[in-house]
Amino acid sequence: PFLFPILISIHSLPEEYKTQILAFRKEIEQPYYECLQEWREKYPQQLKNIDNKILVNTLLSTANAVPRWWDNKNDPQIVTKQIVSILLDGIQKRD
């Protein structure tokens, strides 16, 4: 739930709320950007050349969406592993 304010469109909100939400968004996103930067510096061969903003927003969007559709019927560890696999490896089967 705490991710919702950083994922919604803020363009139609009054300026004072935009400023607050943007500050909150930056506070939440910054550790992810720092982690990606450190990862890129330490292991440059591991990450594709994809903009960090796209990576961070994809990760946060996925994290925000799971509670909406997960029905609690599947083992959460399996669900987590499969989501991480999709995020890291995509869906294409490679031989």
Side-chain angles (χ1 to χ4, degrees):
F2 74 92
L3 293 176
F4 185 73
I6 68 170
L7 298 171
I8 62 170
S9 174
I10 62 170
H11 301 293
S12 61
L13 296 174
E15 197 60 41
E16 68 179 283
Y17 295 122
K18 284 184 196 178
T19 303
Q20 290 175 13
I21 289 173
L22 289 173
F24 181 66
R25 177 183 289 180
K26 185 174 182 179
E27 184 179 324
I28 297 297
E29 292 176 346
Q30 194 58 37
Y32 292 92
Y33 285 110
E34 290 171 7
C35 179
L36 282 169
Q37 187 59 37
E38 288 175 22
W39 190 353
R40 286 185 191 284
E41 290 171 6
K42 193 169 183 178
Y43 306 102
Q45 72 284 2
Q46 287 185 348
L47 293 176
K48 293 179 181 178
N49 188 21
I50 299 172
D51 186 279
N52 283 350
K53 184 175 182 178
I54 294 170
L55 291 171
V56 168
N57 282 292
T58 299
L59 293 170
L60 294 178
S61 295
T62 301
N64 192 50
V66 172
R68 295 184 201 166
W69 59 258
W70 184 48
D71 58 10
N72 218 13
K73 293 179 183 174
N74 297 310
D75 182 333
Q77 290 182 342
I78 292 172
V79 172
T80 301
K81 286 179 182 180
Q82 290 179 351
I83 290 170
V84 169
S85 175
I86 291 167
L87 290 172
L88 293 178
D89 303 325
I91 62 171
Q92 185 177 359
K93 188 175 182 179
R94 301 183 192 268
D95 296 324

